[in-house]
Amino acid sequence: MRVFGIESSCDETAAAVLESPLRVLSSAVASQIQAHQPYGGVVPELAARAHLQALPRVFEEAIRPVQGGWQSLDAIAVTQGPGLSSSLLLGLGAATALARRLNLPLIPVHHMEGHLLSLFLAPNAPAPEEVCPALILLVTGGHTALVRMNAPGEYEVLGRSIDDAAGEALDKGARLMGLPYPGGAEIEKLALGGDAASVQFPLGAPDGEEAVRRGGRYAFSFSGLKTSIRYHLQKNPGGSLRDTAAAYQAAVMNSLLTRLRQALENGTDIKGIACVGGVAKNQLLRRGLAELAGQHGINFHTVPMAYCTDNAAMIAAVPLLRKLQPAQTPPAVNPNLLLQGLQLR
Ligand code: KG4
Ligand code: ZN
């Protein structure tokens, strides 16, 4: 089976072609970062306009290297959410048109499931049976969750953030420090050589009934961190930004690692750990995970950098890894309606 994947949930326009057994034939991504940078974050209207302009070009780029071209495809997979409604609508619209034109089934995909299955995209990636059950930190600009993956399609969310996402905390912290959007990579760069012990930021690992009710047993919280850095910067106007960045980055990553460590101590059957999503590019987080895996004698799986941030290869991978029977009816073009009942468990 050969699948054309489409992703447009936020500020990346992407298309990719994958076939089974899982192999990436092409993956094209057009980033809009520059368009949004002057505003310090993603502007939905700008994003929608940029998707509209980029989609035809990205589609062409994705199909060009594929032998057999459009006629060799068996299905179209498209991100249906979560994401910005206006951005999603453009991808869904283009996907619907393409599916009708080629008379192919259209498969709606959950963006976060795409991130989880990005774990299997590298040419030398292990098979799901070798990896699962695994504990995965799903860390993006919009979501933070600790997920137990038993197999592709079988997920259990053990914890999620009760407020901001880890990436959002990095982006907002970066903005307060005067760094450009998106802030995660900028903080990582600035933090090099900084003293992570210079500021004590709170550990975003809330306890108590309310936190458990809202975020599960391994709930995360990052809004306090954001407030702390604001106060810290106000109180220390001439302080070292390098040290602050190092301490802030360490606080975000330690909060993620703490929850993972706790879950590992309670889950004896876990074969491996991993991080996926944009924040998974972070070297401090990767080093922490590698260390944790070493301590527990289990595997640490990494995702190539290009597949950490939003891409369409991870979207096309979902039906292939799940061995889904493509639904014959294209979904109605309404991401909000489509999202209902399709949240990760
Ligand atoms: O997965 P992604 O591309 O988009 C969403 O689905 O949200 O993740 C984007 C997030 C942003 O918050 C960005 O600051 C963060 O990933 N990010 C990083 C790094 N590179 C990107 N965070 C930490 N370290 C990095 N090197
Ligand atoms: Zn994403």
Side-chain angles (χ1 to χ4, degrees), residues 111 115 140-142 167 170-171 182-185 188 277-279 281-282 308-310:
H111 180 79
H115 274 299
T140 73
L170 291 166
D171 293 340
E188 180 167 31
V279 181
K281 283 185 162 176
N282 189 273
C308 287
T309 34
D310 290 346

Side-chain angles (χ1 to χ4, degrees), residues 46-315:
L46 278 185
R49 207 179 309 153
H51 282 308
L52 189 61
Q53 280 169 355
L55 276 162
R57 177 164 49 85
V58 170
F59 280 17
E60 280 301 324
E61 203 184 314
I63 203 70
R64 205 177 302 126
V66 175
Q67 227 182 4
W70 295 114
Q71 299 313 318
S72 70
L73 302 174
D74 297 299
I76 310 290
V78 61
T79 301
Q80 62 167 347
L84 298 169
S85 294
S86 47
S87 288
L88 289 165
L89 276 169
L90 282 151
L92 276 163
T96 306
L98 194 60
R100 290 208 178 131
R101 172 78 177 75
L102 299 171
N103 199 21
L104 291 176
L106 184 60
I107 308 166
V109 170
H110 195 295
H111 180 79
M112 304 318 285
E113 181 170 18
H115 274 299
L116 286 172
L117 298 186
S118 66
L119 212 52
F120 304 108
L121 289 173
N124 56 352
E129 310 78 70
E130 296 167 59
V131 174
C132 299
L135 288 180
I136 304 172
L137 282 170
L138 176 54
V139 275
T140 73
H143 292 81
T144 294
L146 175 60
V147 178
R148 180 190 159 105
M149 174 158 67
N150 294 321
E154 284 176 39
Y155 318 105
E156 211 179 315
V157 178
L158 304 180
R160 65 180 84 224
S161 176
I162 58 172
D163 40 57
D164 293 349
E168 194 179 351
L170 291 166
D171 293 340
K172 288 178 177 170
R175 197 173 175 172
L176 290 169
M177 282 188 273
L179 301 173
Y181 173 85
E186 298 294 329
I187 288 193
E188 180 167 31
K189 254 191 278 168
L190 181 61
L192 282 175
D195 177 9
S198 61
V199 193
Q200 288 304 314
F201 287 116
L203 186 68
D207 289 321
E209 252 173 58
E210 179 60 10
V212 173
R213 190 182 61 75
R214 286 165 57 204
R217 183 171 174 192
Y218 302 99
F220 301 92
S221 165
F222 293 101
S223 62
L225 206 54
K226 189 183 60 196
T227 312
S228 301
I229 194 173
R230 176 178 288 126
Y231 286 137
H232 173 77
L233 291 168
Q234 279 168 3
K235 277 195 219 145
N236 304 279
S240 157
L241 275 188
R242 183 176 299 278
D243 287 349
T244 306
Y248 193 72
Q249 172 182 246
V252 172
M253 303 313 156
N254 281 339
S255 146
L256 296 170
L257 290 165
T258 298
R259 286 316 203 195
L260 184 57
R261 185 180 300 113
Q262 290 166 343
L264 261 183
E265 279 157 12
N266 295 324
T268 47
D269 60 341
I270 298 300
K271 283 199 227 162
I273 55 177
C275 52
V276 299
V279 181
K281 283 185 162 176
N282 189 273
Q283 297 303 323
L284 187 66
L285 180 61
R286 287 181 177 227
R287 278 203 298 277
L289 280 158
E291 204 174 300
L292 207 52
Q295 286 162 2
H296 284 81
I298 56 174
N299 298 314
F300 165 48
H301 305 286
T302 55
V303 175
M305 292 293 193
Y307 297 137
C308 287
T309 34
D310 290 346
N311 64 88
M314 69 184 197
I315 302 304

